[in-house]
Amino acid sequence: LGWISDTFKVRKLPLVISGLATTILFLWLLVLENVSFLELAILLGLLGIASSGQVISFITCAELNPPRANASSIAVVNMIIMWFCGFVQSGSGWIIDHFTPIYSAKIAYQISLMVIALLLLITTFLFWFTFPKKKKNL
């Protein structure tokens, strides 16, 4: 995905396509039942390829900031990603704990992971609308 982004000198489109593809594949993974090991392995492989667009966010961050701030800006993006993941992980546990008495453990788990899919979709749309139109050939 990074190679495609560099070849065509675009960042926004691969990131948005990656976000949408990741969301769709993640939701598909959540609703599948009675899936074979091979089908699951293929789906997880596709999910990994689709989510590889996250790497472009680090490159884009470095390109949108002055060269003297490259390392700091990449570190901030990484910190935000890790910080957010910590909150989502805690929130998923809270959802599972509170929905298990009402629903089966499977449904509670699916509900908690649907939150991740929803956040993926929200961040993809936010990126689409907030990414700069044109800067440094992006």
Side-chain angles (χ1 to χ4, degrees), residues 17-94:
I17 291 171
S18 171
L20 290 174
T22 302
T23 303
I24 291 166
L25 290 168
F26 194 77
L27 285 170
W28 191 16
L29 180 68
L30 288 177
V31 298
L32 279 180
E33 291 192 23
N34 301 325
V35 61
S36 74
F37 178 77
L38 180 62
E39 292 168 331
L40 184 61
I42 290 170
L43 182 58
L44 288 173
L46 290 172
L47 184 60
I49 291 168
S51 65
S52 69
Q54 179 184 0
V55 173
I56 299 173
S57 67
F58 293 99
I59 298 164
T60 304
C61 180
E63 291 175 346
L64 291 176
N65 287 291
R68 69 180 190 287
N70 279 352
S72 296
S73 61
I74 291 170
V76 168
V77 168
N78 191 48
M79 179 195 67
I80 290 168
I81 290 170
M82 298 311 291
W83 178 70
F84 196 70
C85 289
F87 282 116
V88 171
Q89 185 176 8
S90 299
S92 292
W94 182 87

